[in-house]
Amino acid sequence: MKKILCVVLALAMVFGLTACTTKTESKYSNGLTKDGFYDLKALDIVTLPELEGVVIPEEYRAASAEAIQSQIDQILDTVKETSEDYDKVIEAGDKVNIDYSGSIDGEVFEGGTAAGQVVTAGTNEFIDDFLYQIIGHKPGENFDIEVTFPETYPQNPDLAGKDAVFAIVINHVETYTYPDFDDAFVEEHYGETLGIKTAADLKAYIEKNIIAGQLNDYIDDYLYNNSEVSEIPEAVIEHQKNLITANYEDTAAQYGVDVQTLLTMTGETRTLDEIIEESSAQFESMGKDVLLYQAAAEKLGLTVSNNDIADYFENVSGSRDYQTYSDHYGMPYLRMIVMTTKVADYIIEKSN
């Protein structure tokens, strides 16, 4: 649930809050008390497991070398330099910029056309063997490939099982140059924001956060799988719907488009209302998660102070200033997020 609650906030930290509006703020905090709780007593409908003495397997208390390197690779990927190769013969694994237009029985179909899309040759990102068929071609080539849509294709059931022809234009192959992960790189990018100036210290920081994430995931699953919730109040479901709506609105605003255009850009054929209508099971699961943490906070007598919120933001962003986020999301929503952290920290501290 901590992952679910924090997705919107984490995205905002990455992209910035350039589209703050009162409309979205009300969706995040509307329905919550000033303490970040739903206006109900969660313990009346939640039966919790033991919160002390939880046995956490040792593998959750260590970060693998692969996980640490994956995080480093993601960091370097954000600052890589991109160049365009117009002569390379495409091989599996190449990043290729293509235009394509799909048709069935000679008729172009909705959602089957794109320009300047970067794909990875020889992968299953697209249907059938689409991205295998571009291997061996070169930039500047125009050709057709033939594919068959899966028999089950939820993105657009009208296309399920049908044969399609895609007209392909290879624009260029992208090649990347990555900086060295060394002290100079770390100090330049993290010295001011996080106060981290060496590669060793950043690796230690990454390791610490991976372990924290693993422990939080374990506690999340422990609570979810060992608790009972007699009902999910409608107010909780409505709040979850509001969070999803606000998330889409904020993301669309970041790209300067409306929500429906954003959905179309991602290949989604449903409207936002249809997505929400078809996500009732997800909202119930998310609502259960929220109630579990609220019930645990009630049982433990935990509250969230402004200093707790400042500590949270210092840990995740390097700054104790959270004014931009409180303006956008409202303090109740921030308190809800920080409360989940306090509950998990308590259980982890008291664990075996």
Side-chain angles (χ1 to χ4, degrees):
M1 190 277 286
K2 296 182 65 177
K3 297 190 291 291
I4 295 170
L5 276 178
C6 297
V7 163
V8 177
L9 186 62
L11 287 173
M13 288 179 177
V14 173
F15 293 113
L17 289 174
T18 58
C20 297
T21 65
T22 301
K23 180 180 179 182
T24 51
E25 178 184 341
S26 67
K27 286 187 173 68
Y28 291 112
S29 284
N30 189 33
L32 301 177
T33 69
K34 61 182 178 62
D35 296 319
F37 285 169
Y38 290 116
D39 192 14
L40 52 85
K41 187 175 181 181
L43 283 173
D44 287 342
I45 55 178
V46 174
T47 302
L48 291 167
E50 291 295 328
L51 301 181
E52 297 185 6
V54 177
V55 178
I56 301 178
E58 283 302 314
E59 59 263 30
Y60 287 87
R61 300 182 184 273
S64 69
E66 291 78 13
I68 295 171
Q69 187 59 51
S70 176
Q71 292 286 323
I72 293 173
D73 291 343
Q74 290 179 44
I75 290 171
L76 296 178
D77 192 62
T78 64
V79 293
K80 66 180 183 292
E81 294 184 4
T82 303
S83 57
E84 300 172 358
D85 191 327
Y86 294 91
D87 298 310
K88 187 179 188 303
V89 176
I90 296 170
E91 301 176 82
D94 284 343
K95 299 291 186 181
V96 187
N97 186 296
I98 66 172
D99 302 339
Y100 61 81
S101 179
S103 60
I104 295 176
D105 297 329
E107 296 289 333
V108 174
F109 57 86
E110 184 178 356
T113 300
Q117 184 151 355
V118 178
V119 299
T120 305
T123 66
N124 296 316
E125 293 175 19
F126 287 6
I127 62 168
D128 205 358
D129 62 349
F130 189 116
L131 295 178
Y132 288 85
Q133 294 190 53
I134 67 174
I135 294 174
H137 291 279
K138 293 179 60 176
E141 291 188 23
N142 304 302
F143 56 95
D144 292 342
I145 64 174
E146 298 179 358
V147 298
T148 301
F149 281 90
E151 291 296 330
T152 301
Y153 192 62
Q155 296 93 319
N156 189 342
D158 292 338
L159 300 178
K162 293 186 178 180
D163 296 328
V165 176
F166 282 85
I168 306 294
V169 178
I170 306 294
N171 297 316
H172 59 263
V173 177
E174 293 194 351
T175 58
Y176 307 121
T177 302
Y178 297 88
D180 292 328
F181 184 74
D182 55 19
D183 292 351
F185 170 83
V186 171
E187 182 167 10
E188 177 185 354
H189 291 87
Y190 296 96
E192 183 175 344
T193 58
L194 293 178
I196 299 175
K197 299 183 178 182
T198 70
D201 286 345
L202 184 54
K203 285 186 70 173
Y205 178 83
I206 291 169
E207 181 178 15
K208 175 184 175 182
N209 280 281
I210 289 173
I211 293 171
Q214 292 173 170
L215 291 171
N216 285 328
D217 287 347
Y218 186 86
I219 298 305
D220 213 41
D221 291 340
Y222 170 78
L223 288 176
Y224 194 92
N225 294 325
N226 295 282
S227 300
E228 294 183 6
V229 179
S230 61
E231 63 172 310
I232 309 295
E234 186 59 32
V236 177
I237 299 295
E238 284 302 310
H239 184 249
Q240 297 304 316
K241 292 180 180 179
N242 287 340
L243 293 183
I244 296 298
T245 301
N247 187 15
Y248 275 111
E249 290 176 350
D250 279 352
T251 305
Q254 294 291 341
Y255 288 99
V257 299
D258 59 30
V259 171
Q260 191 54 53
T261 301
L262 173 71
L263 293 172
T264 301
M265 288 166 56
T266 60
E268 178 60 67
T269 60
R270 297 171 296 174
T271 66
L272 180 56
D273 286 342
E274 289 171 338
I275 292 173
I276 290 174
E277 183 66 26
E278 296 171 15
S279 301
S280 58
Q282 178 186 7
F283 294 136
E284 288 188 7
S285 176
M286 293 163 64
K288 175 182 175 180
D289 270 329
V290 176
L291 290 171
L292 297 180
Y293 279 90
Q294 178 170 327
E298 291 173 0
K299 183 175 181 178
L300 298 171
L302 297 178
T303 59
V304 174
S305 67
N306 290 348
N307 192 58
D308 290 330
I309 297 174
D311 288 344
Y312 174 89
F313 277 88
E314 183 175 29
N315 181 57
V316 299
S317 70
S319 172
R320 297 180 65 81
D321 182 5
Y322 56 86
Q323 186 65 50
T324 302
Y325 301 100
S326 63
D327 288 345
H328 186 63
Y329 297 105
M331 287 297 287
Y333 184 71
L334 297 190
R335 292 188 191 281
M336 173 183 276
I337 291 174
V338 176
M339 179 58 73
T340 67
T341 300
K342 290 195 70 171
V343 168
D345 287 348
Y346 178 92
I347 298 173
I348 292 167
E349 181 182 350
K350 301 293 184 178
S351 68
N352 294 325

